[in-house]
Amino acid sequence: QVQLVESGGGLVQAGGSLRLSCTTSGRTINGYAMGWFRQAPGKEREFVAAISWGVGSTYYADSLKGRFTISRDVAKNTVYLQMNSLKPEDTAVYYCARAGSNLYYTGTKFDYWGQGTQVTVSS
């Protein structure tokens, strides 16, 4: 079983930064593409970023390019989301997820999800 655990969320002022972490207490996430998603109050969950296994190709929602960076530490079995220049509209619960494959592509199915971590950006 894969249990994903996110951490690093919190309250930050607009313009600030946060780094979210996602690790597993169960089976490894190495060998799989990983993704970050978010869900704001009253809105549907949306894609934030993904990283493939191997060469580590990264993918971002167009609106977040340049502010968010996804990375992974193979030795620590952890995936990160560095978020800079945060805006109030970034306020959401952020989820990490493990894909069912080693590569990410549009339409990739994510089969394991964490519980989420709250990010609140004040104006």
Side-chain angles (χ1 to χ4, degrees):
Q1 187 71 4
V2 178
Q3 292 180 313
L4 301 176
V5 180
E6 303 97 336
S7 61
L11 174 64
V12 64
Q13 288 189 330
S17 298
L18 283 174
R19 188 177 78 157
L20 306 183
S21 300
C22 172
T23 190
T24 177
S25 60
R27 296 175 62 182
T28 182
I29 57 175
N30 291 338
Y32 296 90
M34 296 293 296
W36 285 96
F37 296 77
R38 69 184 184 183
Q39 186 167 20
K43 295 187 177 182
E44 293 196 353
R45 186 169 58 195
E46 63 175 350
F47 170 78
V48 173
I51 184 167
S52 292
W53 176 251
V55 297
S57 299
T58 57
Y59 308 85
Y60 299 93
D62 288 342
S63 61
L64 301 176
K65 287 179 182 177
R67 294 197 298 122
F68 288 17
T69 303
I70 188 172
S71 61
R72 66 194 307 165
D73 186 324
V74 172
K76 294 183 178 180
N77 203 28
T78 300
V79 176
Y80 302 99
L81 183 68
Q82 178 68 44
M83 306 185 294
N84 298 326
S85 302
L86 283 163
K87 305 175 182 180
E89 51 264 42
D90 294 318
T91 295
V93 177
Y94 284 72
Y95 300 89
C96 74
R98 197 202 79 172
S101 63
N102 60 330
L103 297 178
Y104 172 79
Y105 52 90
T106 302
T108 291
K109 183 178 183 296
F110 289 84
D111 48 9
Y112 292 99
W113 294 80
Q115 298 280 353
T117 185
Q118 176 70 47
V119 171
T120 303
V121 184
S122 62
S123 57

